[in-house]
Amino acid sequence: MLKIVLASSSPRRRELLAQIGIQDFQILSPDVDEAVEPGLSPARMVEALSLRKARAAAGRAGAEDLIIAADTVVALDGRVLGKPRDQGEAFAMLSALSGREHRVYTGVTVLGGGQAATEHEETAVAFRALSPEEIRDYIATGEPMDKAGAYGIQGVGALLVQGIRGDYCNVVGLPLFRLGRMLSGFGVKLPRP
């Protein structure tokens, strides 16, 4: 029987996999170098990192396992905003996103059976204008500190988002529509809606 491995320790990605009917999977959180060559676009960056994570997990998984790996970044004007190192950096990121539209990119790799497929999803997210006090209050929740771009749309950060164009699940960290299509190419049957 095919065993699915999620190469991520993200609780959000675990919940999203369960949402589409994948309940029985193993978690392997690969420790990889996330440095990429300079000049890569955000889309190519997340693709490269998801492939690197999948390959690292495959080295620890069984030969017949199917690996799912993902990497998500937030980009404003083409500049990648990672996870903030401290509250000051979170404040700077959220201030820059205030009243503007940015892009969220997730690279997804499915690896197994001697083949790999890597794709990415892009979603546009518009923030409402935020006051410095609102930004400080949000940072005080602690939510921004482990999130790319210093916010989580699935939590209190939803109050910052005026609208999105594209896949909501992508902004959470795993584009389910794209992943479902990729998994079908590997023979994984998901429940039909």
Side-chain angles (χ1 to χ4, degrees):
M1 181 171 160
L2 178 71
K3 185 167 77 175
I4 294 178
V5 174
L6 176 63
S8 174
S9 59
S10 165
R12 294 163 294 281
R13 289 189 179 123
R14 286 194 299 257
E15 290 166 5
L16 287 168
L17 267 189
Q19 181 179 320
I20 60 170
I22 300 175
Q23 303 288 337
D24 187 25
F25 57 91
Q26 179 184 356
I27 295 173
L28 282 176
S29 185
D31 186 21
V32 299
D33 177 10
E34 296 202 12
V36 293
E37 62 185 84
L40 276 185
S41 69
R44 296 298 160 248
M45 176 186 300
V46 293
E47 286 182 351
L49 290 173
S50 74
L51 180 58
R52 189 178 300 166
K53 290 176 180 180
R55 286 179 175 157
R60 296 172 37 209
E64 302 300 314
D65 293 350
L66 186 68
I67 313 293
I68 300 169
D71 190 77
T72 302
V73 299
V74 170
L76 180 64
D77 300 328
R79 184 173 67 91
V80 171
L81 305 178
K83 296 177 182 176
R85 288 185 291 260
D86 55 36
Q87 290 187 357
E89 192 170 52
F91 186 89
M93 286 183 190
L94 292 165
S95 297
L97 295 172
S98 174
R100 308 223 14 233
E101 184 177 88
H102 61 276
R103 302 277 192 269
V104 176
Y105 297 86
T106 300
V108 179
T109 295
V110 178
L111 184 134
Q115 59 181 322
T118 301
E119 299 182 14
H120 76 273
E121 189 68 42
E122 175 184 348
T123 303
V125 180
F127 266 29
R128 65 181 176 82
L130 306 170
S131 71
E133 182 181 13
E134 287 175 307
I135 293 171
R136 282 191 288 275
D137 287 347
Y138 179 54
I139 291 170
T141 69
E143 188 175 271
M145 301 317 296
D146 69 338
K147 311 278 190 305
Y151 76 96
I153 196 169
Q154 72 285 354
V156 179
L159 298 172
L160 313 176
V161 177
Q162 187 172 334
I164 70 168
R165 285 183 291 122
D167 185 340
Y168 168 82
C169 295
N170 181 51
V171 184
V172 179
L174 193 62
L176 293 181
F177 178 77
R178 181 170 300 278
L179 176 62
R181 284 187 20 246
M182 293 171 74
L183 288 172
S184 71
F186 284 79
V188 176
K189 296 205 182 305
L190 297 173
R192 294 202 177 264

